[in-house]
């Protein structure tokens, strides 16, 4: 029996080596702020890290917009946007005002999005149209050039909203400019 004791360990170690040091991603956030705190723990998620101070300073309900893509893709899209403005990710990471501008442009001070004109924290008005499709209880929202679905819809009314966004057409910006 002892000669087989090393086999499970030999199989387990490579599996564990591939895991994030923070642990497996099995956590279910309770609201949008909790989601942002959780995703900000990933070393590569620059957008969630940038949103944290603004979310901490905002009292009341929020609806957060985050691109529905991986951390590296988010970072690449942000780098491309920043390059167009003559700056870099390095500057973004160290500039609290730039991070706050990003956050304010992509957070609405409401519990959920609904059809109408809504303003993000930076005061920019956005035309929002939300509708149900088929038997899916989660509304699909068109927010200017972005499409979004509330990833926390099943937690209503206890949770604020986190909208996973998609561009309306390929190649479009996946977050609101700042």
């Amino acid at each position: 029996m002892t000669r087989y004791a090393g086999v499970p360990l030999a199989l387990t170690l490579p599996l564990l080596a591939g895991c994030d040091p923070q642990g497996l991603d099995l956590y279910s956030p309770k609201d949008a702020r909790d989601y942002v705190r959780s995703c900000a723990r990933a070393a590569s998620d620059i957008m969630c890290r940038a949103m944290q101070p603004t979310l901490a300073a905002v009292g009341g309900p929020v609806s957060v917009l985050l691109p529905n893509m991986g951390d590296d893709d988010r970072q690449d899209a942000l780098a491309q946007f920043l390059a167009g403005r003559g700056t870099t990710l390095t500057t973004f990471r160290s500039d609290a005002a730039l991070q706050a501008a990003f956050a304010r442009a992509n957070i609405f001070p409401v519990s959920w999005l609904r059809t109408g004109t809504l303003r993000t924290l930076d005061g920019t008005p956005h035309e929002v149209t939300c509708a149900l499709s088929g038997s899916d209880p989660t509304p699909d929202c068109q927010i200017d050039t972005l499409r979004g679905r509330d990833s926390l819809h099943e937690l209503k009314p206890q949770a604020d909203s986190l909208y996973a966004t998609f561009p309306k057409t390929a190649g479009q910006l996946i977050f609101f400019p700042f």
Side-chain angles (χ1 to χ4, degrees):
M1 213 183 222
T2 57
R3 70 181 173 135
Y4 294 109
V7 174
L9 182 60
L11 293 174
T12 304
L13 289 177
L15 175 66
L16 292 176
C19 292
D20 184 317
Q22 299 280 335
L24 294 174
D25 190 14
L26 301 175
Y27 179 73
S28 295
K30 59 184 172 96
D31 60 24
R33 286 177 175 90
D34 191 36
Y35 180 93
V36 170
R37 273 191 303 276
S38 178
C39 82
R41 285 185 287 212
S44 59
D45 200 311
I46 193 169
M47 290 185 178
C48 286
R49 286 179 182 212
M51 286 188 170
Q52 279 190 294
T54 300
L55 283 172
V58 173
V62 292
S63 287
V64 176
L65 305 182
L66 278 174
N68 187 38
M69 55 183 21
D71 299 349
D72 292 339
D73 293 330
R74 287 185 200 182
Q75 185 170 292
D76 291 346
L78 183 58
Q80 185 176 358
F81 171 77
L82 292 170
R85 295 190 56 204
T87 192
T88 65
L89 282 175
T90 302
T91 301
F92 183 83
R93 282 188 181 101
S94 63
D95 187 337
L98 196 54
Q99 292 176 30
F102 163 76
R104 287 190 311 270
N106 290 280
I107 299 173
F108 290 89
V110 296
S111 295
W112 65 88
L113 300 181
R114 58 196 161 284
T115 300
T117 302
L118 301 175
R119 292 182 183 276
T120 46
L121 290 176
D122 66 358
T124 304
H126 297 279
E127 290 304 316
V128 178
T129 305
C130 296
L132 294 174
S133 59
S135 62
D136 188 353
T138 307
D140 193 11
C141 295
Q142 188 66 44
I143 315 146
D144 286 344
T145 59
L146 297 175
R147 196 178 114 234
R149 294 183 53 82
D150 185 3
S151 299
L152 302 176
H153 182 75
E154 70 280 354
L155 300 177
K156 295 293 175 252
Q158 294 84 13
D160 294 331
S161 300
L162 175 84
Y163 287 84
T165 59
F166 311 83
K168 189 174 183 178
T169 58
Q172 250 179 337
L173 197 57
I174 56 170
F175 49 86
F176 287 134
F178 51 98

